[in-house]
Amino acid sequence: MIISQYIGKGNREQAGLAAGQLLTASILLSILSMFLILVFDTQILGLLFGRVEPSVMEACVNYLRISAYSYPALAIYNAGSALYRSLGDTKTTMVISVIANLINLAGNCLGVFVLHAGVAGVTWPSLISRVFSAVMITWLCFGTNHEVFYTLPAVLRVDGGMQKSILRIAVPNGVESGIFQLVKVALSSVVALFGTYQIAANGVAQTIWRVASLVCVTMGPVYITVIGQCMGAGEIRQAEHYFRKLTQITVLFAVVWNVLIFGLTPVLMHFYALEPQTKSLGIRLVLLHNIFNALAFPFADPLGKGLRATGDVVFTTFVSLFTTIGVRLVLSVIFGIWLNMGVMGIAGAMCLDWSVRGVIFWIRFRQGKWKTFRVI
């Protein structure tokens, strides 16, 4: 976000400093996170999931510890990919991601089916693929053939002013992401209360949901790059124009994509060994999700990222936390357990979360308060 605004302003030197300081902050904070996980791994798992069988807890601890080793690599890759997205270059990160996923897939097959390494056979390939991604993106980011790139002086020091700007945006986003993940853990515990066929249908539906949400997930970084550069250049009217244009494009493509995915859902269900009752529930879950993913999620997520790109971070974070806890979590309990709606109730609460958030973000955009914020 900060890099995009400096690029829009035409200040390449400060953009390079922001990129280097983002890498520095990512490395330091990820190492701190890694050590905290390694020290308190058992306590964290016990707090989140309670008492489980010793063999299950041992496997969980092994998975968590190996995953923690990869946090610095993941943070380094995310910092580099953020720089490339700010430059409008998503092809490079896509290629790296494809290669890394192939490494991960091959490693999983080797670890599970050949070496029979269990949890470690799944986790070590993930670590290796993340290290590969981190090395590749960092090497490319130090290349001087881009208008903004890493330099050692920008990375090997801590600039207080720049770090303050970065953390002013990163901390609220981090809190929001952390709360969201905790709510997901809580909801997974709620789902576990329902019958086996509902759990199976929910698992299959979530796999299809991830594919259906690709349009909105893809458009989020576009908002950040485009709106961020417009705001950095001081082109408020241009930013407002692209807000509307990108929203129109996102809704159009989301509708087409979600209709296509739902049309393929009955075919995809044949790849799973499911009972008719489970298949029926899975299809209904996908239908409910795709309707709101096409019509509400473009306003709840990509538009929200655009508002953040203007510097309107505190408000968007507060709204996201309110809808995640006050709408999704609370209504999941009411619909899913009290009204005995099961996983359909939880899916409905998720859709209402998007709807409420999307309406608030659209009102915020229309009011124009975002025009008054300055990040740099």
Side-chain angles (χ1 to χ4, degrees):
M1 186 185 305
I2 295 175
I3 299 170
S4 294
Q5 292 214 7
Y6 276 122
I7 292 174
K9 193 175 183 179
N11 194 332
R12 304 291 185 263
E13 182 179 350
Q14 284 296 99
L17 175 61
Q21 289 297 290
L22 176 60
L23 177 61
T24 302
S26 299
I27 292 173
L28 295 177
L29 293 175
S30 63
I31 290 175
L32 175 62
S33 299
M34 178 186 70
F35 277 115
L36 289 174
I37 292 295
L38 294 176
V39 172
F40 300 106
D41 50 3
T42 305
Q43 292 88 337
I44 292 172
L45 289 171
L47 177 65
L48 292 175
F49 300 104
R51 295 177 59 86
V52 296
E53 293 184 10
S55 59
V56 175
M57 178 58 74
E58 182 182 2
C60 291
V61 169
N62 288 338
Y63 186 95
L64 184 60
R65 292 184 69 86
I66 299 173
S67 294
Y69 297 142
S70 72
Y71 291 172
L74 181 60
I76 291 170
Y77 171 74
N78 285 336
S81 64
L83 172 56
Y84 264 79
R85 286 195 299 270
S86 299
L87 294 169
D89 183 352
T90 56
K91 180 180 178 181
T92 300
T93 54
M94 180 192 72
V95 171
I96 294 175
S97 180
V98 168
I99 297 174
N101 277 286
L102 290 175
I103 292 173
N104 191 23
L105 178 61
N108 285 341
C109 292
L110 178 64
V112 174
F113 299 114
V114 178
L115 301 179
H116 304 288
V119 168
V122 174
T123 320
W124 281 109
S126 297
L127 185 150
I128 294 170
S129 66
R130 288 175 176 177
V131 170
F132 165 80
S133 299
V135 171
M136 288 301 301
I137 197 69
T138 304
W139 176 64
L140 291 172
C141 286
F142 271 105
T144 57
N145 56 327
H146 301 292
E147 56 179 332
V148 179
F149 48 87
Y150 288 160
T151 61
L152 284 178
V155 175
L156 298 179
R157 67 187 178 96
V158 176
D159 185 291
M162 188 62 74
Q163 288 295 338
K164 184 179 179 180
S165 298
I166 292 173
L167 293 176
R168 190 166 59 241
I169 295 170
V171 170
N173 286 339
V175 171
E176 177 188 339
S177 297
I179 296 297
F180 178 75
Q181 294 302 322
L182 288 174
V183 169
K184 284 183 65 177
V185 171
L187 292 180
S188 67
S189 300
V190 174
V191 171
L193 300 175
F194 306 138
T196 304
Y197 91 94
Q198 291 202 51
I199 297 173
N202 185 69
V204 173
Q206 287 199 13
T207 302
I208 300 174
W209 290 355
R210 281 191 284 270
V211 179
S213 64
L214 284 177
V215 169
C216 291
V217 170
T218 302
M219 290 301 295
V222 178
Y223 273 82
I224 293 174
T225 301
V226 175
I227 303 301
Q229 291 192 13
C230 289
M231 295 297 290
E235 295 288 347
I236 305 299
R237 292 182 62 183
Q238 195 79 340
E240 185 170 7
H241 167 76
Y242 279 113
F243 256 121
R244 297 181 184 277
K245 195 70 174 177
L246 289 173
T247 301
Q248 291 171 359
I249 293 172
T250 304
V251 172
L252 174 61
F253 279 93
V255 169
V256 173
W257 181 249
N258 278 274
V259 169
L260 175 63
I261 295 301
F262 179 70
L264 293 174
T265 297
V267 178
L268 296 174
M269 288 292 177
H270 289 296
F271 290 95
Y272 298 91
L274 302 174
E275 296 294 328
Q277 183 184 27
T278 306
K279 287 183 180 180
S280 175
L281 178 57
I283 291 173
R284 283 186 282 128
L285 285 168
V286 173
L287 174 61
L288 178 63
H289 169 275
N290 285 22
I291 290 173
F292 285 87
N293 189 260
L295 301 178
F297 197 62
F299 299 92
D301 189 78
L303 179 65
K305 285 183 169 63
L307 291 173
R308 285 185 174 89
T310 69
D312 194 1
V313 177
V314 175
F315 177 83
T316 52
T317 299
F318 175 80
V319 170
S320 297
L321 290 176
F322 166 73
T323 60
T324 299
I325 299 173
V327 179
R328 179 178 295 201
L329 182 59
V330 173
L331 291 185
S332 290
V333 174
I334 295 174
F335 292 165
I337 299 178
W338 295 0
L339 299 181
N340 200 31
M341 294 173 63
V343 292
M344 284 297 295
I346 292 180
M350 173 185 68
C351 295
L352 287 175
D353 168 17
W354 295 344
S355 300
V356 173
R357 193 188 319 171
V359 169
I360 295 174
F361 284 168
W362 180 249
I363 293 173
R364 182 72 164 183
F365 165 70
R366 290 293 300 272
Q367 289 176 338
K369 179 68 174 178
W370 56 273
K371 299 176 184 179
T372 64
F373 287 91
R374 295 291 181 269
V375 174
I376 59 175

